[in-house]
Amino acid sequence: MDRHNGEPEVKTLIIYSTCQGGIMSGLLKRSPEIARSFDIRYHTNFSNPGEMKCDIPDEQLADCALFLYHPIAAKNHGFSTDMLLEKLPDSAEAYVLPYVTFGSYWPELGKVPSKPLGVDAQFPYGRIPYRSEMLDALIDQGATPSEALQTYLSVEPVTALRRAEVVLEADTRYLDRLDSQDGPIKVKDYILRNFRNRQLFYIFNHPKTEIYAHMANQLLEYLGVPPLTDQAQAGFKGHIEQNMPIHPATASVLGLEFVDQDTRYDYLGESFTFCEFIERYLEYAYAEKNAKLVSG
């Protein structure tokens, strides 16, 4: 008990992760029990895309009661989250916060923003950060924008199915690895049970609030407090700015119940059907190609 006011002592809960931890932090603060018991500190593990950082003060780690983190291995960065775990007090609990990704909605898109499209002052990392190998190949082969669009939209069902199956198998293996990590939060069964009847991700690494609520409620149950109410979840805004359109052919072969060719997606302040989004992709990609021809 706090000797000054008789209230229970507020403990420190640290979340060290990608931007997913920011959404998780916001949801946990909507639990009255957690808000009373914990001072939640969220620290990003990145400075820019692909750049690792750690700015958690040692005194904060020494005061931590519960540490949730995305693991970072030393072999890749010269730094590991094991170094942070060693600084926690013996009384602290530490668990992996699953870094939840799911690429099966977009099997034709890459996951590395190495050549973003639509880079400008407002979007220094690009308006479309993830590229389609098939579209880029069509452009390189000399297809006109209309030819590339038509070819991309009319992909054969067998090709779409093979592509989707490969990515879904990879996603399933990844979710297995997430669930094998130490901690009370598991995600595989929930995602595989529900991804066909409603959209669970805005983009491969941006889950919808529903996924975060599922994870948060498992943590709350572990801590012995009630789950988030529907009211607490309602209206919570997570990653909503980049709702990546889903290829109708992918929707067809995976049996996605929420997608057809007329489905509209809000993306960076605009609304697109899948066809309209690919037209915008091609606009950026051909502008990129022409700029290279002029400069070269």
Side-chain angles (χ1 to χ4, degrees), residues 33-80:
E33 293 80 8
I34 294 299
R36 283 195 299 267
S37 302
F38 289 96
D39 176 19
I40 299 178
R41 306 290 185 91
Y42 162 56
H43 294 268
T44 61
N45 63 6
F46 64 95
S47 50
N48 291 311
E51 297 179 8
M52 191 281 301
K53 76 164 185 177
C54 181
D55 58 3
I56 309 176
D58 284 352
E59 57 268 25
Q60 196 176 115
L61 289 166
D63 192 45
C64 181
L66 180 59
F67 185 70
L68 304 175
Y69 65 102
H70 289 162
I72 295 174
K75 64 180 180 180
N76 296 324
H77 303 275
F79 161 88
S80 79

Side-chain angles (χ1 to χ4, degrees), residues 11-232:
K11 296 173 285 189
T12 300
L13 189 165
I14 297 175
I15 298 177
Y16 176 63
S17 71
T18 67
C19 57
Q20 292 189 7
I23 308 300
M24 191 70 166
S25 170
L27 265 181
L28 289 175
K29 290 176 181 178
R30 293 198 167 198
S31 163
E33 293 80 8
I34 294 299
R36 283 195 299 267
S37 302
F38 289 96
D39 176 19
I40 299 178
R41 306 290 185 91
Y42 162 56
H43 294 268
T44 61
N45 63 6
F46 64 95
S47 50
N48 291 311
E51 297 179 8
M52 191 281 301
K53 76 164 185 177
C54 181
D55 58 3
I56 309 176
D58 284 352
E59 57 268 25
Q60 196 176 115
L61 289 166
D63 192 45
C64 181
L66 180 59
F67 185 70
L68 304 175
Y69 65 102
H70 289 162
I72 295 174
K75 64 180 180 180
N76 296 324
H77 303 275
F79 161 88
S80 79
T81 39
D82 288 343
M83 298 175 185
L84 302 180
L85 298 177
E86 292 172 356
K87 296 179 180 181
L88 297 175
D90 292 340
S91 59
E93 294 185 79
Y95 297 110
V96 170
L97 177 65
Y99 175 54
V100 187
T101 69
F102 189 74
S104 293
Y105 290 147
W106 308 277
E108 74 279 9
L109 292 182
K111 293 184 178 180
V112 179
S114 57
K115 298 179 181 178
L117 292 170
V119 176
D120 57 25
Q122 184 179 1
F123 295 96
Y125 304 114
R127 293 173 183 268
I128 303 178
Y130 305 107
R131 304 290 290 256
S132 164
E133 186 176 314
M134 179 180 177
L135 274 175
D136 291 344
L138 289 168
I139 294 169
D140 290 342
Q141 291 163 11
T144 66
S146 60
E147 290 170 341
L149 176 66
Q150 187 57 39
T151 301
Y152 195 65
L153 294 179
S154 59
V155 60
E156 290 291 330
V158 172
T159 301
L161 177 60
R162 182 169 60 248
R163 187 169 61 194
E165 286 179 336
V166 168
V167 179
L168 182 56
E169 288 174 4
D171 280 340
T172 300
R173 290 193 300 270
Y174 177 73
L175 294 172
D176 275 329
R177 291 200 298 275
L178 289 186
D179 279 9
S180 70
Q181 296 175 122
D182 183 36
I185 301 174
K186 310 299 177 185
V187 295
K188 175 190 171 185
D189 288 347
Y190 189 91
I191 292 172
L192 295 185
R193 186 170 65 248
N194 295 300
F195 82 92
R196 288 185 170 88
N197 52 39
R198 56 187 182 274
Q199 187 177 349
L200 297 182
F201 290 77
Y202 290 111
I203 199 167
F204 80 94
N205 59 349
H206 284 181
K208 284 196 167 186
T209 299
E210 177 179 348
I211 298 297
Y212 292 108
H214 171 68
M215 294 196 292
N217 283 335
Q218 290 179 85
L219 179 64
L220 295 178
E221 180 181 12
Y222 172 77
L223 296 174
V225 301
L228 295 168
T229 64
D230 292 340
Q231 183 178 8

